[in-house]
Structures are given as structure tokens and as C-alpha cells.
């Protein structure tokens, strides 16, 4: 196995020779910004909320039946927008300035890639920044959700407003998924960050990759490690601070 400096050098060379670069990012990259991971030991899913599992509260059936309880949880745990992008988000957006064609596919709903300035983003699980009325589909921004208490209602028709995130029990947005798969499939370089690649659609997207270099940066092993051209099992801050110096 290569030592850390060699790994960084290899990754830097791959980035240099690649014109189209796709990133697939998961919850692990937002923890650096202070957003709790979902599945780690202290993550969102490890703790019950008033006796209920978060997976249950984030199910579409629960939302339809108990929107008030859903919103209490949502406001406390997910509606977090006073956080800044970190070195990873900034590095990714910086590559655009260098003339690379960059696509970001993310499982995160926090909007930090947008905040960092990335232009082409496929939010597989939606985003907390978009909300809409379930009846008339009128759109509302995050401030409207923050300024209201309890269940937010539509100003036009009185319908319940929901966040444009994918609940358990719902399908991913077809068009978003299709575009995400297209844009990653033939990228010269695909870099997977902060996801264990266990759950659909991460596994699906990575298994269809036909480009030149597959790179996985994750502290834990992933099931695609044997297919990757480069695997870096290191702390993100260390990896990206080293990379930024090389740019
Ligand atoms: Zn409405």
C-alpha cells in the first residue's frame, strides 16, 4: 500500500489528467461542518427521538399522519442552515475554476455544495432549501419554514407544506437519478466521499461507472474498495488540506 504522500500525489495526477470529474458524496463529508452523520455511533439514527426511531419519523406515512411531530423533529435535527461549507465542499467547487467539468451527486440534503459554489449538483435525496405545498405545489424557501411554528401551511390554498426531501417509503426523483447516473458513468474520474456505498442508490451509481479512475476516500472500508484504482482510508481534513496545497 502506498503511503499517504504518495496517495495524495497519485490523486493529484488523476485530477490533472481528467477533464470531467464526478463526485459522489455522503453524510461523512458534512460532519466536518458539524452536521451529524446518520449512521455513525453518535449519528442521527443511533438515538431515538422521544422514544421513536428517526427512520420511522422520516417515513412518508408518518409525515402524512403526524406532520406536527415530524416538523418538531425536522426543525430540531435537519433544518440546519447556519453552517458553512468545509474544505471538501470548497475543494470540489474550486476545481471548476481550474476549468474542470465537475458534477456533484450527493445524498446530503444540507445544501452545502450549493453554498460552496458548485454549479452542477444532483441532490438524490432532495434538499432542505426547497419546500412545496402538497396540494397546489407552490414553492416555499427555507426561511418560510423557519419563521413558522408547528405545521407550515400554504399561503395560497392552506395545504400542508412539505420539504422536497425523499422520505423513507418514497422513490427517488427519477429525472435526478437518471441525470446523476449519466453524468457519473462516463466521467474520467469518479471520487466517492463519505459514504459506505451500502445503500441504494450509491451502490447502483458506482457499479455503473465506466470511466478511467475510481477513487474512494472513506475512513471505513466500502464494498467497492477492490474495484477502485485508489483507496484512501484517512481523515478527510488531512486529505483535503494536503490536496489544496497541491492545487
Ligand atoms: Zn397550496
Amino acid at each position: 500500500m502506498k503511503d499517504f504522500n504518495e496517495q495524495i500525489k497519485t490523486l493529484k495526477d488523476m485530477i490533472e489528467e481528467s477533464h470531467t470529474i464526478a463526485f459522489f458524496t455522503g453524510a461523512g463529508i458534512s460532519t466536518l461542518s458539524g452536521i451529524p452523520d446518520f449512521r455513525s455511533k453518535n449519528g442521527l439514527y443511533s438515538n431515538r427521538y422521544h422514544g421513536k426511531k428517526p427512520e420511522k419519523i422520516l417515513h412518508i406515512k408518518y409525515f402524512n399522519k403526524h406532520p406536527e411531530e415530524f416538523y418538531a423533529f425536522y426543525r430540531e435535527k435537519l433544518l440546519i442552515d447556519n453552517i458553512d461549507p468545509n474544505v471538501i465542499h470548497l475543494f470540489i467547487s474550486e476545481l471548476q475554476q481550474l476549468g474542470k467539468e465537475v458534477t456533484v451527486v450527493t445524498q446530503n440534503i444540507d445544501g452545502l455544495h450549493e453554498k460552496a459554489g458548485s454549479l452542477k449538483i444532483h441532490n438524490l435525496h432532495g434538499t432542505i432549501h426547497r419546500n412545496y405545498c402538497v396540494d397546489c405545489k407552490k414553492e416555499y424557501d427555507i426561511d418560510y419554514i423557519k419563521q413558522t411554528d408547528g405545521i407550515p401551511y400554504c399561503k395560497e390554498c392552506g395545504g400542508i407544506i412539505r420539504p422536497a426531501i425523499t422520505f423513507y417509503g418514497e422513490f427517488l426523483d427519477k429525472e435526478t437519478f437518471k441525470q446523476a447516473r449519466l453524468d457519473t458513468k462516463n466521467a474520467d474520474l469518479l471520487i466517492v466521499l463519505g459514504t459506505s456505498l451500502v445503500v441504494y442508490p450509491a451502490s447502483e451509481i458506482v457499479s455503473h461507472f465506466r470511466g478511467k479512475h475510481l477513487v474512494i476516500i472513506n475512513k471505513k472500508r466500502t464494498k467497492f474498495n477492490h474495484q477502485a484504482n485508489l483507496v484512501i482510508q484517512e481523515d478527510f481534513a488531512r486529505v483535503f488540506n494536503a490536496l489544496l496545497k497541491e492545487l
Side-chain angles (χ1 to χ4, degrees), residues 23-31 37-39 88 105-108 124-125 190-206 214-225 231-233 236:
F23 288 87
F24 190 103
T25 69
I29 76 159
S30 295
T31 51
D37 190 348
F38 282 76
R39 294 176 195 284
I88 308 170
V105 178
T106 186
Q107 297 177 300
N108 302 338
L124 290 176
H125 295 165
L190 172 60
I191 302 178
V192 179
L193 293 169
T195 162
S196 49
L197 296 177
V198 179
V199 282
Y200 180 88
S203 50
E204 167 86 5
I205 284 180
V206 174
L214 173 62
V215 177
I216 294 175
I217 308 176
N218 203 46
K219 259 200 144 165
K220 286 193 194 148
R221 267 192 71 80
T222 78
K223 69 171 186 172
F224 285 90
N225 279 22
V231 175
I232 305 180
Q233 283 184 273
F236 283 127

Side-chain angles (χ1 to χ4, degrees), residues 2-14:
K2 292 177 177 175
D3 78 15
F4 180 71
N5 289 332
E6 283 172 306
Q7 289 179 326
I8 295 298
K9 170 82 172 57
T10 304
L11 180 51
K12 186 198 154 215
D13 290 344
M14 286 175 175

Side-chain angles (χ1 to χ4, degrees), residues 133 136 154 157:
C133 167
C136 75
C154 177
C157 78

